[in-house]
Amino acid sequence: ANPIGALAMAATAVERAFKAWSTGEYEVGKDSFSASAWTNRTALYVADIERIDSRGWRKIMERAKAVLERGKKAILPPNMSANQILPKPDSRRYKVVDADTSD
C-alpha cells in the first residue's frame, strides 16, 4: 500500500505552515494544526493523492529516497557540526536546518 495518509498530512502541514507565515512573520494561533481545523482540507488532498497511479508513486518514492539519502550525506556549513542536526537519544527525527546548498 502507498502512504496516502502520510502524504496528505504532509501536504496539509505544509499548507498550514505557509498560511501561518503568509505575512512574513509567524501568526500565533492562526489555524492551529488540529483535526477540527484541517480534516476537510486533508480529505481533499487524500482524494487527489488517491488518483496517483503506480508510475507516479514510483517517482514519488524514488525522489523521497533520494532526499533521505542526500540528507544522510549532507554537507554542513562550516559553522555547524553534525551534532546540531542529529536526533537526540529521545527523539527519532532530524532537525531542520538551512544548509544554504548550491543545488
Side-chain angles (χ1 to χ4, degrees), residues 16-32:
R16 189 263 176 192
F18 281 136
K19 285 184 177 190
W21 285 89
S22 63
T23 64
E25 293 187 26
Y26 180 70
E27 296 180 48
V28 177
K30 183 172 184 165
D31 294 331
S32 64

Side-chain angles (χ1 to χ4, degrees), residues 39-95:
T39 296
N40 291 340
R41 195 68 177 163
T42 303
L44 293 174
Y45 281 113
V46 167
D48 287 341
I49 293 167
E50 286 178 331
R51 291 195 292 269
I52 297 173
D53 62 14
S54 60
R55 183 172 176 253
W57 275 108
R58 208 169 24 258
K59 282 180 162 181
I60 290 169
M61 299 307 281
E62 286 170 2
R63 290 177 182 167
K65 184 178 178 183
V67 168
L68 291 172
E69 289 299 318
R70 192 170 128 212
K72 290 178 185 175
K73 301 170 188 164
I75 298 171
L76 299 175
N79 62 344
M80 187 177 292
S81 74
N83 289 334
Q84 290 174 283
I85 65 164
L86 293 175
K88 294 181 179 182
D90 61 338
S91 173
R92 294 181 61 193
R93 68 172 184 84
Y94 286 83
K95 296 178 184 171

Side-chain angles (χ1 to χ4, degrees), residues 1 7 9 14-15 24 34 36 43 69-70 74 84 97 101:
L7 187 54
M9 288 291 293
V14 169
E15 179 182 343
S34 64
S36 61
E69 289 299 318
R70 192 170 128 212
Q84 290 174 283
V97 296
T101 59

